Amino acid sequence: MVSTHIKNFDTLVVGGGIAGLQTALDLGDMGYRVAVVEKDASIGGKMIRLSKVFPTLDCASCITTPKMSAVAHHENITLFTYCELNSLDHDGSGESQGIKALITQNPRYVDPIKCIGCRQCEYVCPVHIPDMEQGGLSATKAISIPFSNAIPQLPIMDIENCMLCGQCEKACPTNAIDYFQKPEEFTITAKTAVITTGFDLLDVKDNVQYGNGQIPNVIDSLQMERLLAPHGPYNRVLRPSDGMEPDSIAYVQCAGSRDKSMGVSYCSRVCCMYAIKQAMLLSGSLPLADIIIYYMDIRAFGKGYEQFYQNAKAMGIEFVKAKVARIDKGENGSAQVRYELQDGSGIATTDHDLVVLSMGMVPGWNPEPICPVSKDSDQFITSIKPKISPVLTNMDGLFVAGAAAGPKDIVDTITESGSAAMEAAKFMSKSLMED
């Protein structure tokens, strides 16, 4: 099916995380018309799912939510959430003639015009499913708004788990439920585009030595973020398998990063710092718990990061220089960590109530075969001038920002997003003068 519905903008931003939000705001404030296309049901990306940020320990939601709201209410910015990008290329053959993107709007099975966000459909729904917004640690309804401060405040129906009982349709005061909603294709044309598709974590299910995700109390770092968040699944830190407060918590660093067997030979940069941040927060939540970080190297690269690391050691968090070889099931729900000490003293085994894996970061989006932009050997989008302007790609008019170009922290991501906005604005101004 060829789309005849065409929307025109100055810039297309692909990805609605913190990088995409900052890029869109900067361009919108300059007077450019911006379209933000996001695959999830809400903007906010990974950052809105975090508890706090390092090294200031500021609330992540307190930083991200105002930007989400500013984007949603900006007169020059249009949001397209729960969408799939089918193709992205130059509009025309030969030299750059702008950007053309073919996009599919996935069905929410809710009319966005009629819906008032009252959540009555969610309240009456009898079907409970795992809540992936909470790391799968709690349940949500088969029709629900993703999380309390989601933007837009529109529910989404999980049609695969819906039992078609009709309760949500009966409860909706505006008749917004539409069981027959279909995907809709449309086209966006723009002068420039910025890729801000972020990152994903390696799936622990692919990691044999760490239990393939079958050990109940071995979780990843984003699940721990939800446990630490004030609006998390349990409202406090509990062990997922039995609800016990853990007395011993271990962090396994480089769980996938710097490991050619996992296909991630590079350092993911932020793992050391977020593990230290989480350990400090845990020491406040569980002051009697023993917290150990197994590491190969601590890479505290940013401003204030080394002092942050030293503060953690002063708080009593134990740092063990070792390489964890494997994790097995222990007794009473514990996880048995087997590791080799790097001081040459040999191999040791320790049981922990809860183990957190600092999984490696991988690209959140694969441009093949959607977009002809080049990728590096690490599969992130190539920056053709990393020292002069790291946001430039091999395609004229297409720029990259944030973790789409490689692992980086929030500070560098926001800085790079501003640079991408300026490069896009410069490109459009240059094109206007040439015309």
Side-chain angles (χ1 to χ4, degrees):
M1 180 177 67
V2 178
S3 171
T4 57
H5 192 185
I6 299 176
K7 304 174 187 291
N8 299 307
F9 294 91
D10 293 318
T11 300
L12 167 64
V13 176
V14 182
I18 188 63
L21 297 178
Q22 189 62 53
T23 302
L25 283 172
D26 288 348
L27 284 166
D29 289 343
M30 295 180 207
Y32 294 105
R33 293 173 297 113
V34 183
V36 178
V37 175
E38 169 58 43
K39 66 178 181 179
D40 289 339
S42 170
I43 57 175
K46 295 288 192 301
M47 188 172 174
I48 195 62
R49 277 86 173 176
L50 304 182
S51 54
K52 296 182 184 294
V53 298
F54 59 81
T56 58
L57 297 182
D58 289 330
C59 167
S61 292
C62 300
I63 299 170
T64 316
T65 303
K67 290 186 182 294
M68 293 167 62
S69 180
V71 166
H73 294 93
H74 203 292
E75 61 180 359
N76 292 326
I77 301 174
T78 304
L79 293 177
F80 299 95
T81 56
Y82 204 47
C83 289
E84 183 178 343
L85 181 64
N86 299 319
S87 67
L88 178 66
D89 205 344
H90 285 142
D91 185 10
S93 59
E95 296 297 321
S96 172
Q97 298 178 19
I99 299 292
K100 182 179 180 180
L102 180 61
I103 297 163
T104 299
Q105 173 68 67
N106 293 317
R108 291 175 177 267
Y109 303 100
V110 173
D111 189 326
I113 297 176
K114 293 181 180 178
C115 180
I116 57 175
C118 65
R119 306 183 82 155
Q120 292 301 314
C121 56
E122 181 177 345
Y123 299 149
V124 300
C125 178
V127 180
H128 289 81
I129 60 174
D131 188 358
M132 301 317 296
E133 295 292 341
Q134 299 284 11
L137 300 174
S138 62
T140 187
K141 299 293 186 70
I143 181 170
S144 64
I145 292 175
F147 48 92
S148 58
N149 52 346
I151 292 178
Q153 281 280 299
L154 294 173
I156 181 171
M157 183 185 295
D158 186 333
I159 200 66
E160 292 184 1
N161 290 291
C162 177
M163 57 191 280
L164 299 176
C165 65
Q167 291 297 315
C168 56
E169 186 178 28
K170 294 175 184 176
C172 181
T174 60
N175 298 314
I177 304 299
D178 182 1
Y179 292 113
F180 302 100
Q181 201 173 67
K182 301 290 185 183
E184 296 181 3
E185 286 193 351
F186 61 95
T187 300
I188 288 180
T189 60
K191 299 170 185 174
T192 58
V194 183
I195 304 298
T196 59
T197 46
F199 71 93
D200 282 326
L201 293 181
L202 278 171
D203 194 341
V204 67
K205 294 180 181 178
D206 298 330
N207 203 314
V208 177
Q209 61 266 42
Y210 298 146
N212 287 113
Q214 299 302 309
I215 305 175
N217 295 313
V218 176
I219 62 176
D220 65 37
S221 52
L222 285 178
Q223 289 176 305
M224 177 53 79
E225 289 287 345
R226 297 314 307 151
L227 290 178
L228 288 165
H231 47 308
Y234 312 136
N235 292 321
R236 53 184 176 147
V237 179
L238 299 175
R239 222 164 57 159
S241 68
D242 55 11
M244 184 189 87
E245 281 195 357
D247 294 323
S248 175
I249 304 169
Y251 278 83
V252 177
Q253 299 306 103
C254 300
S257 296
R258 303 169 69 187
D259 187 346
K260 290 185 178 180
S261 69
M262 292 292 293
V264 182
S265 58
Y266 51 85
C267 169
S268 294
R269 294 191 71 198
V270 298
C271 308
C272 291
M273 297 308 300
Y274 72 57
I276 294 171
K277 174 202 73 176
Q278 290 182 2
M280 294 175 75
L281 295 174
L282 282 169
S283 69
S285 300
L286 304 170
L288 299 180
D290 296 323
I291 304 169
I292 299 174
I293 297 179
Y294 297 101
Y295 73 99
M296 291 196 292
D297 304 286
I298 294 295
R299 298 189 170 182
F301 59 90
K303 181 179 180 181
Y305 289 7
E306 178 63 27
Q307 185 60 51
F308 195 65
Y309 167 45
Q310 297 299 331
N311 291 347
K313 289 202 292 186
M315 290 174 66
I317 296 165
E318 185 179 355
F319 289 81
V320 177
K321 190 172 177 62
K323 175 59 179 174
V324 173
R326 62 180 294 119
I327 302 174
D328 298 304
K329 287 184 180 179
E331 296 181 355
N332 300 319
S334 66
Q336 190 176 78
V337 178
R338 184 176 175 85
Y339 54 94
E340 180 184 2
L341 292 160
Q342 299 299 295
D343 60 4
S345 57
I347 296 171
T349 302
T350 306
D351 284 1
H352 297 281
D353 294 330
L354 184 64
V355 175
V356 184
L357 301 178
S358 295
M359 301 301 295
M361 293 170 63
V362 293
W365 177 66
N366 182 9
E368 296 177 353
I370 299 169
C371 177
V373 67
S374 66
K375 298 188 298 181
D376 233 325
S377 59
D378 59 7
Q379 303 306 305
F380 289 93
I381 294 174
T382 303
S383 297
I384 59 173
K385 294 183 179 179
K387 294 185 178 180
I388 299 174
S389 182
V391 302
L392 298 180
T393 70
N394 67 319
M395 287 180 63
D396 286 341
L398 189 140
F399 309 94
V400 63
K408 54 181 62 72
D409 63 358
I410 293 168
V411 175
D412 288 348
T413 293
I414 292 175
T415 302
E416 200 167 89
S417 301
S419 175
M422 288 304 298
E423 287 287 357
K426 185 171 72 172
F427 182 88
M428 289 185 282
S429 298
K430 183 180 178 182
S431 299
L432 184 63
M433 288 189 291
E434 288 176 353
D435 292 341

